[in-house]
């Protein structure tokens, strides 16, 4: 009601009948009572009547402007007939007389419809003239108060304002020096000086970041199922930096939406896009990647619309929005902008691989170094190419006295058809691994490896199995039961190494999906780390991957192949990390392939450094499943059945087509061009050197990238956009018509010059004419400073949201903000220096509080409980324990033992030590399935989804946390030590109390309070003097920092009771 | 819908909402709290709730986490045994693709249960021989054999049955109850969670008992095994309770002086909050003192009962909490995700659960509590009638997740006793009668608590949300 009065007052209508605002009076009423059946949702619409659309209402004669009697709306709401009256009685939601009267008067006044207020671009209101007030904020607020006949509250005490503004802008309380300095500064600029100091502090960025971390659902883990660590803190660092450097808000949004697409994007611009990679992800085996990929997209739409536009679009996923002018098509058009990255939708279960797309986050000169190494690879590649060409010239000469192996008679010829079984691998290249499957250890029931018969391939052989192979025995994969063999130790190839495989293969029917061989840890959701030769969609496929799909190379045979008879399968790779460097062969002939993925930039190994081996302890990763070359199947994947394999060879070189032809039983005469490659690789010294140099350069680049920080970011897929179908009922299994990217037309047309991608979306969002973006941001800042937004529903500016408590003030701020160049620091400065903000939190007349309990009219200053982070930080600051370092990896301060361990997420909480325990709370590690309890208990969100407004509750658990959490206790103890050190004499006890008050509440205690706390110290001293052991126990059991043994334990313990009490006092936990 | 009583808009901030509905607060002074301020914890529910006289005053929910196999517990399917290892007929799939991990499976051999089934009680309910104690309680139980879910992975499914939605963010069922009905005991939370302390096979995230968009005081307070049942309950060593009390008294003097000068209701609320915390500190140790139970009673719950954190121990605690007026107690017992080695593992997990769950029914009944306490035995989904992978040595097998049919049961207040509602086909694959969706299940248990599910909404982000989303039908057939 206050809101409506406030607005009415603004209009200064002088007639007896004030004009009724459709937007602020009529529409909210219609929305609550009528729009469900007579609104935008065509499916639910009754009698084809829309009351939200003036034209339809007019046409249907629901409203006849100026003539209530003729208006059917009035007739129906006034009816006493149960079948006629609206809303229908079964809704149990009748209109009151006042509401009916409002509608009647609105129609009488002409039934003027307006577009919803928040969808009309803000216009700067004329600042009212109010005596003694110069600032527009104060003038607008003062005008409302004056019309109400209220006086503003007196100015807050200086100490109170200083504490309020220090916490508001830096999240930290003022020190005693700050307080004394401010009290002593009687100059006219004293207040401004404080504000400028605070805005310059690096802690300003930290404080501002927290609000955005909530909105962006920032956490340190992926959030679902096994909830592994996600390493996205570089994004948090960027947010802090952006605020500290006062990046204009339009840029702040543009970078996060599309920084990667800006011309010559800087690292910061790319890192900023991690904003869109923070939706929770799962890693459960058997998850459908499509389902979980859609969840990512849905969450991007939700977060973007809630955090930036103040709109809730979730309902339009399934149907047109019932209240706001957002259609289902609008929803999917927005989704289409955010649906074009090469992502899996899941994180990996078997590795700590970063879900793609990703970027390296370079430190110091790492980027230059990396660039240098990449150039060295390019250089070495070109040297190798020319060396090979030159070698080709020398090959003819070499041929005169020599012959390539295998072109005459001998073992190689035997391979190509003479039927002898080569026990020993032979020239032209020794395989690293040769497995004929002829040697069987019947005791172990396993095959022995020919190249090292002491090594058995893991697996069991049934003696009843028919082991007839292409040559001698074969490895058999039965029809009914999956079977796989591991080959330990050998064929551990990396992305910089050339390598090749050859094997003979037979199977009844080519499976849709089946693993022929691989070196990885698991299928389905392992994101395909390692190398593998598989059937995918029934086609022969080879993949090298760090994290599939975005960090991998994959080629796939274009033809369907039949393996009913024994055929050779070959694979070669040149170490280039490029799909073009991969070849597939059958029967010695190279297959035409299609490139499926071509972006590999991190190694395909499993490393402890990356946390692949021990971060998530997977139950099925037994020794048997340790990472090794495996044939015929894979953990959590489909193997091959009704099949057999023979003559498996692995080479640590890229075999030439000539060699592969021989291995495939085909001919390779000496004029086969493949022999030139063989010659260059094996014989020609300059070429051999060039190849060695190239391999070394690739290794160096790969090793360098291994140690880089990598993070999820946005990056558009190459080629055509991914289709975005409108999903029926939002169900990923029911794709409908496809849509192109687009923005809701009802809000603002898409800029003509903007590209139809994320850049354009960002441009549309930050267009000065966008009616929402600036209002939402100034409202967010206002809520941060006053504890309540001018629009109370910060998350919803739509028709169902609250109307602004002071529309003129909101619009003045919004327009002013855009005019200032979206300058957030300037906006904060403006507000905290206003008389409105500087008011005492106690109103001039206490009775006004009754009329306006939410302080909508701003007749007093803000009062609210400190957010969770500020409570802990203020305690750390007061005690002096705080570690003021800015930025960096998250830390693990005190937490009750066992919380993670008991949760089944298989994570162990390893509490940090030393000064990491005292870092500011925004650096506390945030496990989204089990958030830090001292934060949760004070209403911090779980960060699993976007939240732009925290509740403020009051529960006994909060009291327990303040009094008994190790962190708060340690602050109480260390503060007590400080006080005893400064005021060692018992006679100075009151000074201790006074200093504690000033440190914790910025003001001096009253005599009553001083006495109460002094008495507490005395009583505690009585106890601890009698029980000195208790004192020692208390001091030694409150935190990791060492107790100061030079001080009297009794004095410190007694004083600590006082500091512990004050840490719980309302004056400490509140800002007022 | 009561929220509409407030003119202007349905979308209120929580404070406005409280003001509009006359939210029950502990002290009259709190009604005039200032902007964004706190409210007292002792919350006695919403004024219009219950909508009608409730049958159940409180709930104990026994949650079998991991997806308990209905086919090895309560849904007896002899056909699977008779035709074991034969492929499940394609007609059963009826065009649906197998989901989850088994989508890679080449064939789907039927798998009978390794356990014997017998009928029990007058009702003749079928139970496998893994539940000898529950079998004796069969006539108290109402089996729901037609449960269906929509999710087939643990994470979405377990959130779904706890909150009515597969994505995180909605309030859990216990939070809704806490919010709607409030607490009966000012010293204890309305919603308490107890998780069996054992190696969990599937993660149990705090979101399962989170309050979502409801005020956060309605999230469950997890009680933990060990010396500190509630986080931060214990004063630090070296600070005796008597001195702690003195501290509180002097703190109260400080705050009262503040209150006298400023007259702000927050201060008063905070003073009261500390007193409540103190009462919790003094009442909780007694509550969790299971040792004070009679030997005879403890014996009922089986040998694990003296191990803090065991399911048996938690069942005794749950009963004690019920007696103390806790509205919603939820026990989580992990260990049901039997993709393999079901024969051994199911036997172990059921042994941990059977006797304590049966004892709980018996004990509640003996004390006259069962007539107004609803006991729910729930899992997030069931398991497939075909084996996951091939039959292994020793008759071992596994079953994949299955969402199209599973069994839950109810007992106690307002529920028909000794009945089975719903049935599956011969293979236990599909529900053929008495289908109960997750939303129906929620609608029904809320009805038992006197709540009409579609009238109990919370306005959030432009929409009236409810536990049953946009669906939910009361399962009238099971109401006594």
């Amino acid at each position: 009601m206050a809101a409506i009065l406030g607005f009415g007052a603004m209009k200064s209508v002088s007639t007896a009948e004030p004009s009724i605002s459709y937007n602020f009076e009529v529409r909210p009423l219609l929305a609550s009572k009528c729009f469900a059946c007579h609104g935008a949702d065509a499916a639910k619409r009754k009698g084809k009547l829309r009351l939200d659309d003036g034209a339809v209402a007019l046409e249907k004669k629901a409203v006849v402007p100026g003539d209530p009697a003729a208006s059917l709306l009035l007739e129906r709401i006034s009816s006493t007939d149960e079948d006629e009256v609206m809303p229908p009685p079964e809704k149990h939601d009748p209109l009151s007389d006042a509401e009916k009267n409002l509608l009647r008067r609105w129609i009488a006044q002409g039934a003027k419809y307006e577009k919803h207020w928040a969808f009309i671009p803000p216009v700067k209101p004329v600042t009212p003239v109010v005596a003694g007030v110069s600032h527009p904020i104060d003038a607008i607020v003062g005008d409302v108060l004056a019309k109400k006949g209220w006086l503003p509250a007196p100015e807050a005490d200086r100490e109170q304002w200083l504490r309020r503004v220090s916490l508001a802008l830096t999240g930290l309380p003022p020190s005693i020096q700050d307080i004394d300095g401010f009290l002593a500064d009687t100059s006219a600029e004293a207040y401004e000086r404080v504000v400028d100091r605070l805005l310059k502090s690096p802690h300003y960025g930290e404080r501002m970041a927290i609000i955005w971390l909530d909105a962006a659902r920032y956490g340190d883990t992926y959030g679902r199922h096994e909830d592994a660590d996600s390493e996205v803190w570089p994004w948090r660092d960027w947010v802090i930096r952006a605020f500290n450097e006062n990046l204009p808000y339009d840029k702040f949004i543009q970078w996060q939406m599309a920084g990667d697409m800006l011309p010559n994007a800087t690292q910061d611009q790319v890192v900023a896009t991690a904003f869109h990679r923070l939706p929770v992800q799962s890693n459960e085996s058997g998850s459908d990647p499509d389902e979980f990929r859609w969840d990512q997209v849905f969450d991007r739409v939700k977060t973007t619309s809630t955090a930036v536009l103040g709109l809730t679009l979730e309902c339009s996923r399934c149907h047109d929005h019932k209240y706001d002018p957002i259609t289902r098509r609008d929803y999917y058009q927005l989704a289409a902008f955010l649906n074009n990255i090469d992502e899996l939708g899941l994180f990996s279960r078997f590795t700590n691989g970063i879900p793609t797309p990703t970027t390296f986050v370079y430190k110091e000169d790492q980027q230059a170094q990396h660039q240098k190494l990449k150039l060295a690879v390019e250089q070495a590649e070109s040297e190798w190419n020319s060396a090979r060409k030159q070698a080709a010239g020398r090959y003819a000469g070499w041929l005169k006295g020599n012959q390539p192996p295998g072109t005459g008679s001998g073992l190689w010829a035997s391979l190509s058809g003479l039927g002898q079984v080569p026990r020993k691998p032979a020239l032209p290249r020794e395989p690293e691994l040769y497995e004929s499957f002829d040697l069987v250890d019947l005791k172990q029931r396993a095959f022995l490896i020919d190249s090292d018969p002491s090594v058995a391939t893991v697996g069991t052989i049934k003696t009843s199995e028919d082991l007839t192979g292409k040559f001698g025995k074969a490895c058999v994969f039965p029809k009914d039961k999956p079977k796989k063999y591991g080959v330990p130790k050998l064929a551990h190839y990396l992305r910089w190494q050339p390598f090749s495989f050859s094997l003979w293969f037979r199977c009844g029917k080519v499976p849709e999906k089946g693993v022929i061989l691989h070196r990885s840890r698991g299928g389905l959701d392992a994101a395909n780390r390692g190398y593998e030769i598989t059937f995918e969609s029934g086609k022969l496929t080879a993949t090298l991957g760090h994290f599939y799909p975005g960090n991998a190379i994959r080629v796939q045979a274009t033809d369907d192949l039949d393996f009913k008879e024994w055929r050779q399968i070959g694979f070669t790779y040149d170490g280039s990390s490029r799909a073009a460097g991969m070849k597939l062969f059958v029967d010695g002939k190279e297959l035409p392939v299609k490139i499926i993925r071509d972006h590999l930039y991190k190694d395909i190994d499993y490393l402890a450094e990356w946390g692949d081996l021990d971060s998530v302890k997977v139950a099925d990763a037994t020794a048997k499943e340790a990472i090794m070359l495996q044939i015929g199947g894979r953990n959590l994947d489909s193997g091959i059945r009704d099949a057999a394999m023979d003559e498996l060879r692995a080479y640590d070189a890229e075999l030439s087509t000539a060699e592969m032809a021989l291995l495939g039983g085909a001919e390779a005469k000496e004029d086969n061009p493949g022999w030139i490659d063989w010659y260059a690789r094996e014989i020609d010294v300059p070429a051999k050197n060039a190849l060695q140099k190239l391999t070394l350069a690739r290794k160096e680049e790969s090793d360098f990238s291994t140690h880089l920080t990598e993070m999820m970011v946005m990056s558009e897929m190459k080629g055509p956009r991914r289709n975005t179908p409108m999903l029926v009922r939002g169900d990923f299994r029911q794709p409908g018509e496809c849509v192109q990217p687009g923005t809701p037309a009802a809000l603002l047309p898409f800029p003509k010059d903007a590209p139809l991608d994320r850049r354009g979306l960002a441009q549309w969002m930050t267009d000065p004419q966008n009616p929402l973006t600036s209002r939402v941001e100034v409202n967010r800042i206002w809520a941060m400073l006053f504890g309540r937004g001018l629009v109370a529903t910060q998350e919803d500016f739509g028709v169902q949201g609250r109307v602004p408590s002071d529309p003129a003030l909101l619009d003045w701020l919004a327009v002013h903000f855009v005019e200032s160049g979206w300058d957030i620091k300037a906006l904060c400065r403006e507000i905290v220096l206003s008389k409105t903000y500087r008011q005492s939190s106690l109103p001039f007349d206490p009775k006004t509080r009754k009329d306006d309990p939410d302080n909508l009219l701003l007749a007093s200053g803000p009062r609210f409980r400190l957010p969770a982070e500020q409570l802990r930080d203020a305690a750390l600051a007061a005690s002096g324990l705080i570690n003021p370092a800015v930025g960096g990896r998250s830390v693990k301060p005190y937490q009750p033992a066992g919380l993670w361990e008991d949760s089944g997420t298989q994570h162990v909480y390893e509490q940090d030590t030393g000064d990491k325990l005292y870092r500011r709370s925004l650096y506390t590690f945030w496990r989204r399935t089990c958030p830090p309890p001292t934060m949760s208990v004070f209403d911090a969100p779980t960060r699993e989804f976007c939240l732009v407004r925290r509740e403020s509750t009051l529960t006994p658990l909060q009291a327990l946390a303040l009094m008994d959490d190790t962190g708060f206790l340690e602050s109480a103890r260390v503060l007590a030590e400080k006080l005893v050190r400064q005021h060692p004499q018992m006679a100075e006890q009151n000074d201790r109390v006074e200093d504690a008050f000033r440190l914790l509440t910025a003001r001096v205690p009253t005599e009553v309070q001083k006495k109460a706390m002094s008495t507490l110290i005395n009583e505690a001293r009585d106890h601890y003097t009698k029980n000195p052991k208790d004192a020692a126990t208390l001091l030694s059991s409150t935190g990791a920092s060492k107790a100061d043994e030079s001080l009297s334990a009794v004095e410190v313990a007694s004083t600590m009771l006082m500091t512990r009490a004050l840490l719980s006092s309302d004056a400490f936990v509140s800002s007022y | 819908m009561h929220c509409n009583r407030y003119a202007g808009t349905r979308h209120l901030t929580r404070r406005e909402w409280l003001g509009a509905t006359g939210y029950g607060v502990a002290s009259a002074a709190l009604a005039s709290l200032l902007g964004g301020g706190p409210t007292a914890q002792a919350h006695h529910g919403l004024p219009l709730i219950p909508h009608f006289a409730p049958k159940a005053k409180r709930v104990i929910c026994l949650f079998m986490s991991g997806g308990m196999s209905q086919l090895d517990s309560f849904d007896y399917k002899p056909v699977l045994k008779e035709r074991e290892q034969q492929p499940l007929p394609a007609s059963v799939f009826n065009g649906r693709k197998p989901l989850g991990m088994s989508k890679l499976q080449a064939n789907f051999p039927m798998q009978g249960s390794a356990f014997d089934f017998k009928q029990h009680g007058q009702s003749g309910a079928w139970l496998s021989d893994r539940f000898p104690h529950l079998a004796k309680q069969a006539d108290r139980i109402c089996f729901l054999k037609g449960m269906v879910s929509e999710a087939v992975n643990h994470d979405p499914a377990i959130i779904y049955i706890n909150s009515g939605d597969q994505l995180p963010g909605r309030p859990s069922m216990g939070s809704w109850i806490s919010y709607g009905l409030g607490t009966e005991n000012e010293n204890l939370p309305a919603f308490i969670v107890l998780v069996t302390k054992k190696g969990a096979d599937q993660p149990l995230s705090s979101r399962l008992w989170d309050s979502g968009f409801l005020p956060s005081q309605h999230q469950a307070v997890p009680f933990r095994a060990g010396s500190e049942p509630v986080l931060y309950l214990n004063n630090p060593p070296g600070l005796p309770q008597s001195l702690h009390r003195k501290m509180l008294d002097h703190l109260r003097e400080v705050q009262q002086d503040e209150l006298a000068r400023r007259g702000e209701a927050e201060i008063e609320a905070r003073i009261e909050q500390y007193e409540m915390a103190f009462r919790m500190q003094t009442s909780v140790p007694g509550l969790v003192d299971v040792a004070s139970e009679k030997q005879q009673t403890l014996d009922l719950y089986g040998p694990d009962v003296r191990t803090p954190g065991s399911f048996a121990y938690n069942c005794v605690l749950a009963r004690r909490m019920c007696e103390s007026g806790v509205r919603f107690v939820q026990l989580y017992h992990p260990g049901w995700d039997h993709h393999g080695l079901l024969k051994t593992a199911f036997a172990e997990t059921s042994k941990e659960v059977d006797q304590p769950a049966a004892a709980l029914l018996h004990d509640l009944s003996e004390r006259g509590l069962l007539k107004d306490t609803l006991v729910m035995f729930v899992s997030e989904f069931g398991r497939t009638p075909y084996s996951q992978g091939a039959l292994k040595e020793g008759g071992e097998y596994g079953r994949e997740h299955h969402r199209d049919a599973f069994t839950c049961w109810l007992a106690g207040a307002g529920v028909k006793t000794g009945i089975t509602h719903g049935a599956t086909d011969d293979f236990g694959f599909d529900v053929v009668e008495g289908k109960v969706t997750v939303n129906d299940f929620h609608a029904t248990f809320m009805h038992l608590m006197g709540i009409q599910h579609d009238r109990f909404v919370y306005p959030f982000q432009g929409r009236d949300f409810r536990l049953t989303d946009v669906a939910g039908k009361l399962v009238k057939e099971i109401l006594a």
Side-chain angles (χ1 to χ4, degrees), chain A residues 28-29 32-33 91-93 99 223-226 284-288 291-292 295 306 312 317 323 481 513 524 636-638 641 733 788 792-793 795-796 800-802 841-842 849 853-854 863 865 896-899 902-905 929-931 933-934 939 944-945 949 951-965 969 997 1003 1006 1008-1009 1012-1013 1015-1016 1019-1020 1023-1024 1030 1033-1034 1037 1057 1060-1061 1064-1067 1069-1070 1072, chain B residues 1 4-16 32-41 100-101 103-107 150 152-156 159 166-169 195 197 200-207 210 213-217 219 221 224 228 230-240 243-244 246-248 250-251 253-255 257-258 261-262 264 266-267 269-270 273-274 276-277 280-281 390-391 401 403 458 460-463:
Chain A
L29 176 61
S32 116
K33 306 280 180 165
K91 297 264 178 194
H92 303 290
D93 196 15
E99 288 167 339
R224 298 192 81 170
H225 202 60
E226 279 161 350
E284 190 174 336
S285 300
S287 296
D288 190 321
E291 174 180 2
F292 287 83
D295 282 351
T306 309
T312 59
R317 203 169 116 182
Y323 307 103
K481 208 173 151 182
K513 188 163 167 43
L524 271 188
L636 294 173
D637 207 339
S638 27
R641 292 159 192 260
R733 287 161 299 194
R788 182 187 197 286
T793 53
E795 64 285 352
D796 189 7
Q800 289 289 95
R802 289 290 271 147
S841 61
L842 296 175
R849 187 54 26 106
D854 289 323
R863 183 198 220 283
R865 196 205 68 220
L899 286 180
D902 293 349
S903 73
T905 49
T929 53
C930 193
T934 44
D939 307 305
E944 293 166 287
F945 45 86
R949 177 166 54 92
E951 294 286 358
S952 180
T953 63
L954 180 61
T955 73
L957 301 180
Q958 293 165 355
L960 295 174
L962 287 168
M963 290 188 282
D964 295 328
D965 162 64
L969 282 169
F997 255 88
R1003 64 170 180 77
T1006 63
V1008 174
Q1009 291 172 332
M1013 287 295 100
T1015 314
L1016 171 60
E1019 287 171 7
H1023 174 84
Y1024 288 118
D1030 271 3
T1033 309
L1034 179 68
S1037 60
L1057 263 280
R1060 178 173 177 258
S1064 293
S1065 68
D1066 181 71
V1069 302
S1070 306
Y1072 57 83
Chain B
M1 288 187 278
N4 290 347
R5 298 188 326 163
Y6 192 63
T9 177
R10 296 169 168 198
H11 195 168
L12 314 175
T13 63
R14 190 177 60 84
R15 246 207 62 67
E16 292 162 330
S32 61
L33 288 176
L34 308 186
T39 51
Q41 200 268 350
M101 292 152 92
K103 66 186 162 215
L104 300 171
Q105 222 163 300
N107 38 43
E150 285 178 13
V152 77
N153 296 115
H154 295 287
D155 189 287
I159 305 172
Q166 296 187 40
L167 282 172
V195 181
K197 202 173 161 69
D201 53 351
Q202 291 302 326
L204 291 168
S205 148
S206 61
R207 80 165 74 92
D210 195 51
F213 44 69
L214 296 177
S216 53
Q217 75 221 58
Q219 72 196 13
V221 174
R224 310 172 70 217
E228 193 166 51
V230 173
L231 290 185
Y232 313 119
L233 187 73
N234 299 346
N235 294 327
L239 177 53
L243 192 53
H244 173 62
K246 281 181 182 156
M247 189 212 87
L248 286 174
H250 294 302
L251 172 60
E253 287 165 33
V254 167
Q255 310 230 68
D257 179 62
E258 201 78 356
R261 289 183 308 112
R262 301 181 60 89
E264 291 167 309
E266 276 94 342
I267 304 172
R270 203 165 299 286
Q273 170 200 26
Y274 292 158
M276 282 187 213
M280 246 176 101
Q281 285 184 310
L391 196 68
H401 309 166
R403 63 182 175 185
Y458 189 84
F460 178 69
Q461 296 199 344
R463 211 190 117 183

Side-chain angles (χ1 to χ4, degrees), chain A residues 549-567:
Chain A
N551 193 348
I553 49 179
R554 169 175 283 186
V555 295
Q556 189 167 60
T558 49
D559 301 332
D560 288 320
L561 299 162
D562 184 348
F563 290 94
K564 287 221 168 59
E565 301 297 328
W566 282 103
R567 301 181 82 174

Side-chain angles (χ1 to χ4, degrees), chain A residues 3 101 113 128 143 145 167 170 179 196 251 295 299 433 448 530 538 625 776 785 833 856 870 877 890 906 934 937 976:
Chain A
N101 195 28
Y113 272 89
D143 186 49
L145 291 180
L167 286 162
T170 64
I179 301 169
D196 291 337
K251 298 268 181 313
D295 282 351
D299 192 73
L433 160 71
L448 299 177
E625 296 288 352
V776 168
L785 297 169
L833 285 171
L856 299 176
Q870 289 184 18
S890 295
Q906 311 186 26
T934 44
V937 80

Side-chain angles (χ1 to χ4, degrees), chain B residues 90-404:
Chain B
S91 60
V92 174
F93 283 106
N94 195 16
R96 281 166 294 178
K97 289 208 173 104
L99 296 163
M101 292 152 92
S102 66
K103 66 186 162 215
L104 300 171
Q105 222 163 300
N107 38 43
F108 303 94
M110 280 185 264
Q111 178 65 59
S113 179
F115 312 121
D116 290 331
F117 277 72
K118 276 202 185 74
Q119 285 183 291
H120 296 274
Q122 305 221 316
S123 59
W126 288 98
L127 281 89
S128 87
D129 61 11
R130 296 298 90 197
F131 297 94
H133 294 87
L134 270 179
K136 291 185 199 131
Q137 304 291 323
D139 287 342
R140 294 193 208 274
I141 294 176
C142 164
F143 290 97
L144 300 174
K145 293 195 178 166
M147 289 293 301
V148 293
S149 179
E150 285 178 13
V152 77
N153 296 115
H154 295 287
D155 189 287
I158 196 164
I159 305 172
Y160 184 43
I161 197 157
N162 272 292
S163 75
D165 197 278
Q166 296 187 40
L167 282 172
R170 301 277 180 93
S172 56
M173 49 183 168
S175 301
W176 279 106
I177 295 303
S178 165
Y179 169 67
L181 292 170
T183 182
E184 289 187 312
N185 181 335
E186 294 198 4
N187 305 332
L188 292 171
F191 178 21
I192 292 177
V193 155
L194 301 162
V195 181
T196 305
K197 202 173 161 69
K198 66 181 264 194
D201 53 351
Q202 291 302 326
L204 291 168
S205 148
S206 61
R207 80 165 74 92
L208 301 176
W209 48 87
D210 195 51
S211 53
F213 44 69
L214 296 177
S216 53
Q217 75 221 58
H218 299 294
Q219 72 196 13
V221 174
F223 270 52
R224 310 172 70 217
S227 58
E228 193 166 51
V230 173
L231 290 185
Y232 313 119
L233 187 73
N234 299 346
N235 294 327
L239 177 53
Q241 186 76 341
S242 54
L243 192 53
H244 173 62
R245 183 63 251 181
K246 281 181 182 156
M247 189 212 87
L248 286 174
D249 291 341
H250 294 302
L251 172 60
R252 177 193 271 268
E253 287 165 33
V254 167
Q255 310 230 68
Q256 240 144 13
D257 179 62
E258 201 78 356
L259 179 64
R261 289 183 308 112
R262 301 181 60 89
E264 291 167 309
E266 276 94 342
I267 304 172
E268 196 176 353
R270 203 165 299 286
I271 293 170
E272 178 53 22
Q273 170 200 26
Y274 292 158
E275 290 308 316
M276 282 187 213
F278 183 75
R279 288 199 298 271
M280 246 176 101
Q281 285 184 310
T282 49
S283 63
V284 166
L287 178 72
V288 301
D289 183 15
V290 167
S292 65
E293 292 276 324
K294 279 190 192 131
Q295 182 63 41
Q296 211 180 341
T297 312
L298 289 179
D299 288 346
L300 273 179
Y301 287 83
D304 293 343
V305 73
R306 291 181 189 282
T307 310
S310 69
F311 185 73
Y313 177 92
N314 287 347
C315 279
V316 179
L317 270 192
R319 196 219 73 222
R320 292 172 68 87
M321 287 169 178
C322 265
E323 284 173 311
S324 301
V326 176
R327 191 68 74 173
F328 200 108
V329 186
Q330 194 172 24
L331 277 65
Y332 282 88
H333 188 75
W336 294 102
D337 190 23
H338 299 139
H339 292 279
L341 300 180
L342 186 147
K343 193 176 153 189
T344 308
F346 188 97
E348 274 169 25
T349 313
S350 52
K351 190 156 190 242
E352 290 158 356
V353 166
D354 173 47
Q355 187 174 355
L360 179 64
L361 291 184
H362 176 81
D363 200 9
L364 286 171
S365 168
E366 289 286 290
R367 288 164 199 260
L369 284 164
L370 194 59
K371 62 179 185 300
D372 53 10
T373 303
L374 177 66
V375 180
M376 319 197 291
F377 188 94
V378 190
S379 200
E380 70 261 41
F381 42 53
R383 318 277 325 178
T384 54
Y386 55 82
S387 81
Q388 182 169 8
L391 196 68
K392 293 182 183 65
E393 278 166 52
E396 279 295 359
Y397 57 99
R399 297 187 192 276
E400 170 60 312
H401 309 166
H402 187 61
R403 63 182 175 185
D404 292 324

Side-chain angles (χ1 to χ4, degrees), chain A residues 992-1013:
Chain A
R992 291 182 205 162
V993 174
E994 190 165 314
D995 277 6
F997 255 88
R998 298 193 76 197
L999 280 164
L1000 295 170
T1001 72
R1003 64 170 180 77
V1004 290
T1006 63
E1007 283 309 311
V1008 174
Q1009 291 172 332
K1010 217 184 278 184
K1011 182 155 171 272
M1013 287 295 100

